[in-house]
């Protein structure tokens, strides 16, 4: 199983960076999140993304925004010549995508550009040949999931966006690679939705995962304490 970090920026882009997008390759090609800047990166080399399935962790723009240009390219551009990828959305996501499409003046174009599915709570599903298990996490009042992806031999856990919760360590339990956000310098004073680097490291230690890769980190907040930081273009075996 191979992981390529397409975009690792937080809710605002780092200099020259793309927002959330992680390509997992094995028997198929699975894209975890599709934030602004991801489509252009995926077009490098391939002309149009050769992706079997896309999984969206939640509906904040930095995790789904490039579905909009993707739909345009699928309707009027080079995407016309490609089979639409599966698009796995959080519960209720199909209606939400439809409503967003109407609000943005696209009619059904947004939803018609993908083969829509919704995942349900903690029920595992198969996408791009991988077994994917969602876990609901804590991201303010937004319904948000982390994803555990396995090919039966290797396992990647991806936090998406979350504040501290014991479910994070469960998500990453004994995983080969834990891709975990660390957006903050200090904890939010009230409702939690992101992690500090120390909190990401705590979840990693509790999980028993083998390797921690920190992501969704503003470049203004350098990472200390020897943690491994994801960067756009990083490719690694899981
Ligand atoms: Zn985010």
């Amino acid at each position: 199983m191979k992981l390529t970090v397409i975009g690792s920026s937080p809710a605002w882009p780092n200099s020259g960076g793309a927002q959330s997008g992680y390509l997992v390759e094995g028997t198929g090609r699975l894209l975890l999140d599709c934030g602004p800047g991801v489509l252009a990166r995926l077009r490098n080399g391939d002309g149009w993304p050769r992706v079997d399935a896309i999984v969206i962790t939640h509906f904040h723009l930095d995790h789904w925004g490039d579905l909009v240009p993707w739909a345009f390219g699928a309707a009027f551009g080079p995407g016309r010549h490609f089979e639409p990828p599966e698009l796995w959305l959080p519960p209720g996501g199909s209606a939400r995508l439809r409503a967003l499409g109407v609000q943005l003046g696209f009619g059904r174009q947004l939803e018609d550009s993908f083969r829509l599915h919704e995942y349900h709570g903690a029920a595992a599903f198969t996408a791009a040949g991988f077994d994917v298990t969602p876990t609901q996490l804590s991201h303010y009042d937004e319904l948000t999931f982390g994803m555990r992806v396995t090919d039966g031999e290797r396992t990647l856990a991806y936090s998406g966006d979350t504040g501290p919760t014991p479910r994070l360590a469960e998500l990453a339990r004994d995983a080969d690679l834990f891709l975990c956000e660390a957006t903050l310098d200090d904890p939010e004073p009230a409702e939690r939705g992101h992690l500090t680097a120390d909190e990401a490291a705590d979840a990693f230690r509790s999980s028993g995962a083998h390797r921690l890769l920190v992501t969704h980190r503003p470049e203004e907040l350098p990472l200390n304490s020897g943690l491994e930081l994801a960067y756009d273009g990083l490719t690694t075996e899981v």
Side-chain angles (χ1 to χ4, degrees):
M1 187 193 294
K2 188 172 92 171
L3 170 70
T4 301
V5 176
I6 307 298
S8 59
S9 287
W12 60 95
N14 290 328
S15 313
Q19 290 174 289
S20 296
Y22 305 92
L23 183 64
V24 187
E25 295 174 272
T27 51
R29 290 164 60 91
L30 174 68
L31 181 66
L32 299 172
D33 282 334
C34 189
V38 169
L39 179 58
R41 291 270 170 81
L42 288 174
R43 293 200 64 191
N44 281 336
D46 277 347
W48 192 253
R50 298 173 192 276
V51 167
D52 301 302
I54 305 166
V55 176
I56 301 297
T57 58
H58 67 295
F59 266 95
H60 283 166
L61 189 86
D62 56 317
H63 294 257
W64 75 273
D66 258 13
L67 296 180
V68 174
W70 197 310
F72 274 103
F76 306 112
R80 285 175 300 162
H81 309 297
F82 292 84
E83 174 85 0
E86 292 181 1
L87 176 59
W88 288 87
L89 299 171
S94 303
R96 199 155 173 193
L97 192 70
R98 186 173 305 123
L100 285 163
V102 169
Q103 284 170 9
L104 294 168
F106 305 147
R108 294 182 59 93
Q109 186 182 322
L110 201 48
E111 56 183 311
D112 286 350
S113 299
F114 306 95
R115 290 178 284 152
L116 287 194
H117 299 269
E118 292 182 13
Y119 50 86
H120 301 284
F125 57 95
T126 302
F130 296 102
D131 292 327
V132 184
T133 306
T135 295
Q136 188 176 342
L137 299 176
S138 299
H139 188 46
Y140 309 116
D141 61 353
E142 179 66 32
L143 182 62
T144 301
F145 293 81
M147 296 292 157
R148 186 176 173 95
V149 180
T150 183
D151 62 3
E153 292 188 1
R154 309 293 288 179
T155 298
L156 165 73
Y158 168 47
S159 68
D161 286 0
T162 187
T165 162
R167 290 190 297 275
L168 193 53
E170 289 308 311
L171 171 80
R173 180 70 59 209
D174 298 328
D176 296 289
L177 179 59
F178 182 21
L179 179 63
C180 187
E181 76 124 284
T183 310
L184 303 177
D185 215 8
D186 297 302
E188 301 103 328
E191 191 178 16
R192 299 299 310 273
H194 290 292
L195 302 171
T196 66
D198 285 346
E199 289 168 336
D202 285 346
F204 169 67
R205 275 190 293 273
S206 302
S207 73
H210 299 287
R211 179 181 169 196
L212 173 65
L213 188 58
V214 171
T215 193
H216 206 274
R217 182 84 176 165
E219 65 190 359
E220 294 79 12
L221 301 180
L223 203 58
N224 49 22
S225 68
L227 298 178
E228 186 182 5
L229 181 63
Y231 56 89
D232 297 16
L234 170 69
T235 296
T236 184
E237 291 296 325
V238 172

